[in-house]
Amino acid sequence: MRLIILGAPGAGKGTQAEILSEKLSIPAISTGAIIREAIEKETPFGIKAKTYIDKGQLLPDDAVIEIIMHRITEDDCKGGYILDGFPRTVTQAKALNDYGIEIDTALSLEVDDSVIVDRLSGRRECTSCRTPYHVTNNPPQKEGICDKCGAPLKAREDDNPKTIAARLEVYHEETAPVKEYYEAKGKLTKVKGESTVEATADNVVAALGL
């Protein structure tokens, strides 16, 4: 199964991708995690990417397409995968078709902007394995520590009010049309994002018929 999870920043894409990954035994591929790792390692790509991230802007399509196409050719993706954070533009969506990749379902998590702003301030991410958490909606068993690997958690640098506002604006202008693209292809499934991870996961599972 090849799935795409769409939604605004903070809609819960990463968390739901991880849940589906375990349920379906296919990898969840987070574009954001790949980019943040490159930034932390200060690779040439990471240094360039940081200039966009700091402004709340999307990276150029060609750069994102390149890293995703490379990742989905790896062996663990032969049985399917879940794309979290890609495609974010119609150009990126069309690139999948150009590469002969057929997506089964584009799952859109629907969450109001006001809820998004509240959520983002509480997001945390493992500094080692990148597992996402939230201080209230999806807290770790031990505060500040990853359940999976025991590494410390941290807030993301781009989860500040100014950058959040810029990212939401970019999402509505550039990413929301991706939903229309997949809707026209008959592959869009909308799911209401609830106040808890478990409730949203139940909606996702029901929508996908799993």
Side-chain angles (χ1 to χ4, degrees):
M1 182 177 286
R2 295 170 177 171
L3 298 175
I4 289 172
I5 297 187
L6 302 172
K13 298 187 298 296
T15 299
Q16 296 303 321
E18 289 295 331
I19 292 172
L20 286 173
S21 175
E22 292 187 13
K23 188 174 184 66
L24 299 173
S25 298
I26 55 177
I29 300 171
S30 168
T31 308
I34 294 173
I35 293 171
R36 288 191 293 278
E37 182 176 2
I39 291 174
E40 289 185 5
K41 291 183 176 179
E42 296 185 340
T43 66
F45 171 76
I47 293 171
K48 182 178 181 181
K50 191 174 188 302
T51 63
Y52 290 91
I53 300 298
D54 287 346
K55 298 175 184 177
Q57 298 175 347
L58 295 180
L59 271 66
D61 287 326
D62 56 351
V64 181
I65 291 168
E66 182 179 353
I67 62 172
I68 290 298
M69 293 307 166
H70 174 74
R71 175 65 182 88
I72 63 179
T73 60
E74 297 181 12
D75 289 342
D76 64 338
C77 292
K78 289 182 178 179
Y81 44 80
I82 302 161
L83 295 178
D84 161 23
F86 182 93
R88 287 189 172 177
T89 67
V90 173
T91 297
Q92 292 176 11
K94 290 181 177 179
L96 289 171
N97 279 345
D98 293 341
Y99 278 85
I101 297 170
E102 193 69 25
I103 295 299
D104 294 306
T105 302
L107 190 72
S108 176
L109 297 180
E110 304 289 313
V111 183
D112 291 338
D113 281 3
S114 59
V115 176
I116 292 293
V117 174
D118 289 338
R119 284 186 181 181
L120 292 184
S121 61
R123 291 206 302 190
R124 300 293 183 269
E125 183 179 67
C126 177
T127 55
S128 179
C129 69
R130 310 292 175 185
T131 299
Y133 294 90
H134 191 280
V135 294
T136 55
N137 297 336
N138 184 34
Q141 295 178 6
K142 184 177 181 181
E143 185 176 354
I145 301 297
C146 178
D147 295 341
K148 291 187 176 181
C149 69
L153 306 181
K154 70 171 184 178
R156 287 168 41 171
E157 292 182 3
D158 54 346
D159 283 344
N160 62 77
K162 183 176 181 180
T163 305
I164 290 171
R167 289 162 65 198
L168 283 172
E169 183 177 357
V170 168
Y171 169 73
H172 289 300
E173 289 181 357
E174 299 189 38
T175 308
V178 176
K179 291 197 297 184
E180 298 176 6
Y181 174 81
Y182 283 110
E183 189 167 28
K185 294 170 71 68
K187 294 191 174 183
L188 182 71
T189 299
K190 294 182 180 181
V191 175
K192 179 174 174 54
E194 305 288 354
S195 58
T196 66
V197 170
E198 293 79 11
T200 301
D202 289 342
N203 288 350
V204 168
V205 168
L208 294 175
L210 300 178

